[in-house]
């Protein structure tokens, strides 16, 4: 069945439809059926620019906000979506950066979007697989602004594995020690000039008092006294409030693990968990709400938080069960989170290479074949695998030999199915990102698709994290219990907190976004920035399928990735500057006073430069203007201002081209922008035969044109070009004009029109520049379709394009 899971286990789905980040009352059900929630996700206006911005580093928070705001769906597109939903009879219930939510009686939703596969009481297994997938159709008014529409509710329940024992419990201080370079004092998140914030994605209910009790228990944390009012902001997404735990559903223990592991590893960080329904729409809206909150836009929850620097998600879905439409919706949202400066961490799963426990209802992710976890497989996400971490001594700080670490291991379908091994493998959806070209060891160097995970951290429940929970299912005996938890659901938040500790030690006040390039550069530099995990496996060799290996080894592997980062050693590579996005340029040529009798040939060149999506300041532009056929430029300035203009007198019949390349203060250059203009040959240069008269007019080129109403009168003009166009007047009093060259009739121009004006008619195109003489002859007015039309014709000028 298609469901969001904890690591590789199933999770509870909530079913309340409401505004993103705000309490709202759903519309009342009508006789036509109960209320049904729908979330429409808007298209990315510029996917290429969004991807580039997501990859950019070295930008300030203000630069990111300015750049990302311009790359999100526009207010006009949002308004169109809202209007389309209302026209279809739905009530809009909420909005986020990427979505609009609405509800209506089920019959009206079906009328607008078609019947959903889960729309009846007894769905088949195949129908359940599409339970939270997209509707198959959308109203026509939505199709040009929306990517897909999803039901807002659905999803079955299950939980993350736990272990009651705590013989080898590790805590946040242990993680800071183990994942710091030798002889470096671990950071605790105290050093930042601002209180940094870690977000989490949650798809279950929770008792926030669990974190209070855990944080206030002596020995659990070394740091400040926990203050829930200041340190915790719970954000409800697509529901009226944060749901409370329910008996029979232990998914809230997952929330306990995330928030308590975060606080123990970075006790100075603010926490911002996002609680959403367990649906495709819910998890996408949760990430979208993070964008709103970082940008502090109109949809931000309680004013937002510009200091969100990381988000951790322990929830995922087997990539093979996640439809491409779902991924197309999620990817630009994830990229916008990263572009906002937030680094996304996600668990790689707990079922080894199989990514799913053995479930006969699963179409592809049935615990039998190799699969990877999404969103961990997204190139925008730092995928976190799992290890077994054990202390060898008590030395602090880490001296290099006081921790032993190997892969969190499973060796068969059976052992992996019970959530006993680090998820990993090769994506079937995403091609190999450029940063993974740093992987040079066999057999992984030859893989052409995205490999998972990127990094690893402690995940084995045998060496896991001791949490406090008041889960009503697990407290039937003596009230609140302590449990030892593991899984990549521990590795992901622990990594996010260690990363935030590193940011604090660097003095950061906002996020840095994508860190893949820094991680892989640190790995390629071979400076001991990772603890290489060389022992363990995550499946049976015979079942590897597309995976090149199930065994951990020297260098990169698809069990533990690059290894476990020693974050203080990774720091300099993560913060290293990389090229930023280039600016854009526009150049244009136009006639300054085309109707002037004295200066019709004056040409004005104009160029404009625009900052890139990264918002880097402009430095200037290199501008050149050439006349076709001549080697010397009319104008050239390699250090012109970023925006400027230049005027010159053009030659009738000549074609000019402008070239503009702008640059910003980093030296990044735009693509060349070019434009061309041909200066007309005025009617005064035509040779006239027969009866013609010159008419002065402010609406014609150079203030005049020639006209004739006498059959067989003609005019000739000579020019050098490859393509030619004739400028003629049109109106209710005009007739037919024949164009010929070298004795051949080329075409007849009908100058009749109901409304007076001017037009350019293409008369000849040979593709080769040559000097030609054209003849323009007045035809008998009886050939004109309109009997009220006279035989009068006019000629205003000739264009000869090089």
């Amino acid at each position: 069945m298609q469901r969001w899971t904890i690591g590789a286990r199933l999770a509870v789905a909530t079913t309340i439809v409401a505004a993103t980040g705000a309490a709202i009352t759903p519309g009342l059900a009508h006789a036509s059926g109960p209320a049904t929630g729908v979330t429409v996700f808007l298209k990315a206006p510029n996917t290429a620019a969004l991807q580039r911005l997501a990859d950019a580093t070295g930008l300030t928070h203000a630069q990111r906000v300015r750049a990302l705001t311009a790359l999100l769906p526009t207010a006009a597109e949002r308004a169109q979506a809202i209007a389309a939903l209302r026209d279809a009879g739905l009530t809009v219930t909420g909005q986020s950066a990427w979505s609009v939510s609405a509800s209506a009686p089920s019959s009206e939703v079906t009328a607008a979007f078609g019947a959903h596969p889960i729309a009846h009481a007894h769905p088949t297994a195949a129908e359940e697989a599409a339970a939270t997938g997209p509707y198959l159709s959308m109203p026509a008014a939505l199709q040009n602004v929306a990517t897909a529409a999803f039901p807002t509710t659905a999803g079955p329940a299950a939980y993350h594995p736990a272990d009651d024992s705590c013989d080898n419990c590790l805590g946040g201080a242990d993680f800071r020690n183990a994942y710091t370079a030798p002889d470096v004092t671990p950071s605790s998140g105290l050093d930042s000039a601002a209180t940094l914030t870690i977000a989490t994605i949650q798809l279950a209910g929770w008792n926030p008092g669990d974190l209070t009790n855990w944080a206030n228990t002596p020995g659990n944390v070394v740091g400040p006294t926990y203050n829930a009012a200041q340190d915790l902001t719970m954000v409800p997404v697509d529901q009226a409030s944060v749901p409370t735990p329910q008996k029979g559903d232990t998914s809230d223990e997952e929330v306990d693990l995330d928030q308590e592991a975060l606080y123990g590893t970075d006790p100075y960080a603010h926490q911002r968990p996002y609680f959403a329904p367990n649906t495709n729409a819910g998890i996408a809206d949760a990430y979208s709400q993070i964008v709103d909150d970082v940008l502090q836009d109109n949809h931000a929850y309680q004013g937002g938080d510009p200091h969100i620097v990381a988000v951790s998600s322990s929830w995922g879905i087997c990539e093979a069960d996640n439809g491409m439409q779902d991924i197309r919706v999620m990817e630009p949202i994830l990229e916008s989170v990263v572009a906002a400066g937030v680094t996304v961490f996600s668990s790689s799963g707990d079922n080894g290479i199989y990514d799913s426990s053995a479930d006969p209802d699963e179409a592809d992710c049935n615990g039998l074949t190799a699969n990877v976890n999404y969103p961990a497989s997204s190139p925008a996400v730092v995928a976190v695998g799992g290890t077994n971490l054990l202390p060898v001594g008590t030395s602090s700080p880490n001296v290099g030999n006081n921790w032993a670490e190997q892969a969190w291991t499973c060796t068969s379908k059976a052992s992996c199915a019970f959530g006993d091994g680090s998820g990993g493998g090769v994506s079937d959806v995403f091609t190999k990102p450029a940063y993974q070209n740093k992987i040079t060891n066999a057999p992984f160097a030859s893989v052409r698709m995205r490999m998972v995970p990127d990094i690893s951290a402690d995940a084995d429940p045998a060496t896991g994290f001791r949490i406090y929970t008041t889960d009503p299912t697990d407290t039937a005996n003596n009230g609140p219990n302590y449990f030892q938890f593991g899984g990549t659901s521990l590795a992901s938040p622990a990594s996010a907190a260690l990363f935030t500790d590193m940011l604090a030690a660097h003095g950061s006040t906002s996020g840095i976004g994508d860190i893949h390039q820094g991680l892989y550069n640190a790995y390629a530099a071979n400076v001991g920035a990772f603890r290489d995990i060389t022992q363990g496996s995550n499946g049976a060799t015979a079942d590897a399928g597309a995976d090149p290996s199930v065994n951990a080894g020297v260098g990169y592997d698809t069990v533990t990735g690059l290894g476990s980062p020693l974050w203080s050693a990774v720091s300099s590579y993560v913060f290293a500057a990389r090229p930023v996005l280039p600016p854009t340029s526009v150049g244009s040529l136009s006639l300054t006073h085309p109707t002037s009798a004295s200066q019709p040939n004056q040409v004005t060149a104009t160029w404009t430069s625009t900052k890139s999506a990264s918002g880097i300041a402009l430095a200037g532009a290199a501008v050149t203007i050439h006349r076709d056929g001549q080697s010397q430029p009319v104008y050239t300035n390699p250090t012109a201002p970023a925006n400027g203009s230049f005027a010159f007198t053009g030659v009738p019949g000549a074609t000019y081209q402008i070239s503009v390349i702008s640059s910003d203060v980093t030296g990044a250059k735009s693509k060349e922008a070019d434009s061309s203009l041909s200066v007309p040959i005025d009617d005064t240069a035509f040779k006239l035969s027969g009866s013609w008269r010159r008419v002065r007019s402010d609406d014609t080129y150079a203030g005049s044109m020639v006209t004739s109403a006498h059959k067989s009168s003609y005019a000739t003009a000579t020019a050098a070009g490859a393509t030619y166009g004739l400028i003629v007047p049109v109106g209710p009093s005009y007739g037919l004009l024949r164009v010929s060259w070298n004795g051949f009739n080329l075409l007849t121009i009908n100058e009749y029109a109901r409304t007076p004006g001017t037009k350019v008619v293409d008369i000849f195109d040979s593709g080769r520049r040559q000097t030609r003489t054209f003849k323009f002859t007045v035809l008998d007015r009886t050939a004109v379709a309109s009997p009220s039309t006279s035989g009068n014709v006019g000629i205003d000028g000739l264009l000869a394009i090089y």
Side-chain angles (χ1 to χ4, degrees):
M1 305 178 199
Q2 183 184 30
R3 296 158 289 198
W4 288 98
T5 64
I6 307 170
R9 302 248 177 171
L10 308 182
V12 176
T14 53
T15 57
I16 302 171
V17 180
T20 298
I24 201 162
T25 303
L28 297 176
H30 297 283
S32 53
T36 298
V38 177
T39 301
V40 173
F41 289 91
L42 305 176
K43 291 182 178 179
N46 189 333
T47 55
L50 183 60
Q51 290 169 356
R52 289 195 300 268
L53 181 61
D55 187 54
T57 59
L59 307 180
T60 66
H61 175 69
Q63 288 172 333
R64 288 187 178 277
V65 169
R66 184 165 54 250
L68 180 56
T69 300
L71 297 176
L72 295 176
T74 66
E77 292 165 337
R78 184 180 305 281
Q80 182 175 339
I82 291 172
L85 288 167
R86 288 173 175 166
D87 288 346
L90 281 75
T91 299
V92 174
T93 58
Q95 301 177 49
S96 74
W98 288 96
S99 68
V100 178
S101 299
S103 68
S106 57
S107 61
E108 295 185 24
V109 172
T110 300
F113 295 94
H116 199 270
I118 200 68
H120 57 85
H122 302 288
T124 65
E127 288 173 331
E128 277 199 359
T132 68
Y135 284 94
L136 300 181
S137 62
M138 282 196 297
L142 280 172
Q143 291 176 7
N144 66 328
V145 295
T147 303
F150 292 83
T152 311
T153 61
Y159 61 90
H160 186 79
D163 183 348
D164 289 336
S165 66
C166 198
D167 295 335
N168 297 305
C169 280
L170 299 176
D174 297 313
F175 294 152
R176 291 196 299 273
N177 184 292
Y179 298 120
T180 297
D183 302 317
V184 176
T185 301
S187 171
S188 63
L190 177 62
D191 305 331
S192 177
T195 300
L196 303 180
T197 301
I198 305 174
T200 59
I201 303 295
Q202 304 298 351
L203 306 178
W206 186 47
N207 176 10
D210 290 354
L211 177 58
T212 301
N213 286 324
W214 183 90
N216 292 332
T217 300
N220 278 349
V221 65
V222 178
T225 301
Y226 175 72
N227 184 327
Q230 297 178 3
D231 299 337
L232 177 70
T233 301
M234 298 185 294
V235 183
V237 177
D238 286 341
Q239 50 197 0
S241 60
V242 175
T244 57
Q246 302 296 314
K247 189 173 179 63
D249 168 28
T250 57
S251 297
D252 57 302
E253 294 172 354
E254 169 66 21
V255 188
D256 285 325
L257 176 62
D258 279 347
Q259 308 311 136
E260 292 170 20
L262 286 174
Y263 190 77
T265 309
D266 186 352
Y268 291 91
H270 184 88
Q271 295 193 11
R272 202 171 175 96
Y274 289 74
F275 293 86
N278 190 359
T279 64
N280 294 70
I283 197 165
D285 259 345
Y287 281 107
S288 183
Q289 186 63 49
I290 292 173
V291 175
D292 288 317
D293 291 353
V294 176
L295 297 181
Q296 296 182 291
D297 61 21
N298 292 336
H299 309 302
Y301 182 76
Q302 294 185 356
D305 186 346
H307 303 299
I308 299 174
V309 297
V311 57
S312 174
S313 174
S314 300
W315 305 74
I317 190 169
C318 178
E319 188 184 75
D321 269 354
N322 201 36
M324 283 305 302
Q325 188 77 325
D326 304 35
I327 291 176
R328 289 190 186 100
V329 167
M330 278 286 291
E331 281 304 290
I333 297 176
L334 287 170
E335 287 165 354
S336 69
V337 172
V338 177
V342 181
T343 305
V344 182
F345 295 85
S346 184
S347 60
S348 67
D350 298 343
N351 300 103
I353 64 169
Y354 311 102
D355 193 60
S356 183
S357 56
D359 185 342
D361 289 332
E362 294 285 355
D364 298 297
C365 302
N366 52 15
L368 302 177
T369 55
N371 286 289
V372 292
N373 206 34
Y374 183 83
S377 64
S378 168
V381 171
V382 178
V384 186
T387 67
N388 171 291
L389 178 71
L390 282 173
V392 176
T394 58
S395 175
S396 181
N398 177 13
V399 295
N401 60 1
N402 54 320
W403 292 97
E405 196 167 14
Q406 62 183 22
W408 181 33
T409 294
C410 61
T411 57
S412 66
K413 293 187 183 76
S415 63
C416 294
F418 287 98
D420 286 335
S422 174
V426 179
S427 170
D428 288 328
V429 174
F430 299 101
T431 57
K432 186 177 184 179
Y435 53 77
Q436 288 197 322
N437 290 333
K438 298 288 185 179
I439 299 170
T440 58
N441 58 303
F444 305 99
S446 60
V447 175
R448 293 294 175 260
M449 302 297 281
R450 158 76 159 138
M451 290 174 280
V452 175
D454 294 302
I455 60 174
S456 57
D458 184 34
D460 192 337
T463 60
F465 191 88
R466 191 169 183 256
I467 72 162
Y468 176 96
T469 183
T470 55
D471 183 282
T473 302
D474 286 342
T475 58
N477 296 322
N478 299 310
N481 289 322
Y482 275 95
F483 292 93
Q484 182 171 349
F485 272 66
T488 53
S489 293
L490 168 62
S492 180
S495 296
L498 290 163
F499 165 74
T500 308
D501 284 331
M502 182 197 72
L503 291 185
H506 192 267
S508 300
T509 59
S510 60
I512 60 175
D514 183 62
I515 64 170
H516 285 103
Q517 193 68 48
L519 292 173
Y520 282 83
N521 283 345
Y523 161 81
N526 195 26
V527 292
F530 293 85
R531 182 181 295 116
D532 194 9
I533 311 302
T534 59
Q535 295 182 334
S537 63
N538 63 351
T541 303
D543 299 329
D547 295 321
S549 175
V550 296
N551 297 314
V554 175
Y556 180 89
D557 55 69
T558 51
V559 185
T560 60
L562 302 172
S564 296
L566 305 178
W567 287 97
S568 56
V570 169
S571 177
S572 61
Y573 293 90
V574 168
F575 284 100
R578 297 214 313 270
V580 297
L581 307 180
T584 56
S585 303
V586 175
S588 64
L589 296 169
S590 62
L591 294 171
T592 313
H593 309 289
T595 61
S596 166
S598 59
Q599 293 181 307
N601 301 334
Q602 186 181 73
V603 178
T604 298
T606 303
W607 59 91
T608 58
S609 305
T610 304
K611 295 178 184 177
S612 69
S614 57
I616 303 300
L618 296 168
V623 182
T624 302
I625 303 171
H626 274 102
R627 175 182 171 182
D628 284 346
Q630 294 190 352
S631 59
Q632 292 298 316
V634 176
Y635 173 85
T636 182
N637 188 347
T639 58
N643 301 285
S645 63
F646 173 76
F648 62 95
T649 300
V651 175
T655 300
Y656 298 89
Q657 289 188 334
I658 183 173
S659 168
V660 182
I661 300 176
S662 59
S663 59
D664 63 25
V665 293
T666 70
K669 298 183 183 300
S670 71
K671 292 182 178 179
E672 181 181 12
D674 56 51
S675 180
S676 64
L677 172 73
S678 293
V679 179
I681 298 172
D682 186 35
D683 62 85
T684 57
F686 284 53
K687 292 182 179 180
L688 306 176
S689 179
S691 179
W692 294 86
R693 69 188 183 94
R694 179 156 284 107
V695 178
R696 299 294 178 183
S697 172
D698 292 335
D699 297 324
T700 58
Y701 180 69
S704 70
M705 64 178 176
V706 292
T707 65
S708 177
H710 295 271
K711 180 182 177 182
S712 299
S713 292
Y714 64 91
T716 59
T718 302
T723 301
Y724 298 84
L726 187 66
I727 308 171
V728 298
V730 296
S733 64
Y734 289 100
L736 301 180
L737 179 68
R738 176 181 293 155
V739 182
S740 58
W741 168 67
N742 203 23
F744 295 97
N745 293 333
L746 299 177
L747 76 161
T748 299
I749 300 173
N750 186 356
E751 297 183 4
Y752 171 79
R754 291 183 178 181
T755 304
T758 301
K759 69 177 181 180
V760 177
V761 180
D762 294 332
I763 61 172
F764 190 79
D765 184 0
S766 70
R768 181 169 61 90
R769 188 171 188 264
Q770 182 179 331
T771 300
R772 295 175 175 87
T773 299
F774 294 92
K775 182 178 180 181
F776 309 95
T777 306
V778 181
L779 297 182
D780 192 285
R781 64 183 178 185
T782 58
V784 181
S786 173
S788 62
T789 304
S790 71
N792 189 45
V793 299
I795 298 173
D796 192 19
L798 178 68
L799 292 173
I801 303 170
Y802 189 85

